[in-house]
Amino acid sequence: MDPHKDKAREAMENHFFTNMELLGVDCSKKTRGGGNPELEITPTMFRTSNLKGMEFVMHFLLCKIKPVAAKKAFQGVWPVFMGDTKLSRDFQTAVLDLLSELEIEGRIPRHLCRRTTLNTASGERLVEIVWRLSALALRILHDSTCGSEQEGARLCVLPTDQHTLVALGPTHYRLARALNAMERRQFLEAASKGARLQQEWASMADDLVKE
């Protein structure tokens, strides 16, 4: 056992879990992935083979990152029902195609994922993939709501270097979680205010029509 690798994996697991929460997954409850049985989202969910968990997480994150492309790619292959091995292979092909697009766009490292990683649905490589994808999805969500160029608006997104991630340790984990939670609260407050304003404008429009 390599203590450094163990720390790196644990750091990635914790950050992946936090990002899933911030992206809207209620990790305190079991969730359902389409026609799949209930799934539990935990930091250590990929310590052992977890095919249905992998399918849910990949579908969720890729739909957040590339909603239009993912909708087209997953048409006819999602949900993946229990025991349907052909559908599972077709789903994995769609995942690999979307990941290849992200690699070409320079948004994730090249050769990050292989089919064998999806087949085994466990291990450090899969943890790294879902960690990077969850961080990317969170950055996209933040940029779409706060603006990517707004000064001081960038989230405290995870470092992309494993050594840095481990060196920062629990302190960075707590700081990142606190800052991300703060940003999410601000986002929800802004969304709520926008909804109220929209309702007010709709009411004013109705009044003008009546007059």
Side-chain angles (χ1 to χ4, degrees), residues 145-185:
T145 55
C146 299
S148 59
E149 300 302 325
Q150 183 178 342
E151 184 178 357
R154 302 296 296 195
L155 277 172
C156 183
V157 180
L158 317 181
T160 57
D161 177 81
Q162 290 187 25
H163 298 287
T164 304
L165 187 66
V166 174
L168 289 171
T171 300
H172 178 269
Y173 172 67
R174 292 193 296 270
L175 177 61
R177 184 163 186 167
L179 290 176
N180 283 333
M182 180 183 68
E183 290 285 356
R184 188 165 190 265
R185 286 196 301 271

Side-chain angles (χ1 to χ4, degrees), residues 36-54:
N36 297 325
E38 288 186 334
L39 303 168
E40 189 173 5
I41 307 301
T42 68
T44 59
M45 64 184 294
F46 296 121
R47 293 266 179 111
T48 58
S49 184
N50 188 349
L51 184 62
K52 291 305 171 187
M54 179 278 293

Side-chain angles (χ1 to χ4, degrees), residues 70-151:
K71 182 179 180 181
K72 182 178 179 181
F74 291 136
Q75 188 172 3
V77 299
W78 180 264
V80 183
F81 293 97
M82 291 287 292
D84 195 331
T85 55
K86 182 182 184 303
L87 195 59
S88 182
R89 286 195 302 270
D90 292 343
F91 172 81
Q92 291 178 17
T93 299
V95 169
L96 291 171
D97 289 343
L98 289 168
L99 292 177
S100 294
E101 291 181 16
L102 292 175
E103 290 177 3
I104 293 171
E105 294 167 1
R107 301 166 86 181
I108 60 173
R110 287 187 174 274
H111 312 300
L112 184 62
C113 183
R114 304 184 182 94
R115 186 178 289 272
T116 53
T117 305
L118 302 181
N119 284 330
T120 56
S122 65
E124 185 176 346
R125 181 176 287 271
L126 180 59
V127 171
E128 181 180 355
I129 293 167
V130 296
W131 160 56
R132 289 184 182 278
L133 291 179
S134 65
L136 176 59
L138 196 60
R139 185 184 294 275
I140 290 171
L141 173 64
H142 181 265
D143 289 351
S144 67
T145 55
C146 299
S148 59
E149 300 302 325
Q150 183 178 342
E151 184 178 357

Side-chain angles (χ1 to χ4, degrees), residues 181-201:
M182 180 183 68
E183 290 285 356
R184 188 165 190 265
R185 286 196 301 271
Q186 292 174 349
F187 162 69
L188 292 174
E189 290 172 0
S192 178
K193 182 179 179 180
R196 290 196 302 271
L197 289 174
Q198 184 175 353
Q199 184 60 43
E200 291 175 6
W201 279 102

Side-chain angles (χ1 to χ4, degrees), residues 11-85:
M12 288 189 291
E13 288 173 337
N14 286 332
H15 282 298
F16 151 71
F17 178 75
T18 300
N19 286 347
M20 291 293 286
E21 287 185 313
L22 294 172
L23 287 165
V25 176
D26 187 352
C27 297
S28 65
K29 300 177 182 178
K30 291 185 177 181
T31 186
R32 287 188 179 273
N36 297 325
E38 288 186 334
L39 303 168
E40 189 173 5
I41 307 301
T42 68
T44 59
M45 64 184 294
F46 296 121
R47 293 266 179 111
T48 58
S49 184
N50 188 349
L51 184 62
K52 291 305 171 187
M54 179 278 293
E55 290 170 351
F56 171 80
V57 170
M58 285 295 188
H59 179 268
F60 176 81
L61 292 176
L62 289 170
C63 285
K64 292 288 186 183
I65 295 168
K66 295 178 74 72
V68 176
K71 182 179 180 181
K72 182 178 179 181
F74 291 136
Q75 188 172 3
V77 299
W78 180 264
V80 183
F81 293 97
M82 291 287 292
D84 195 331
T85 55

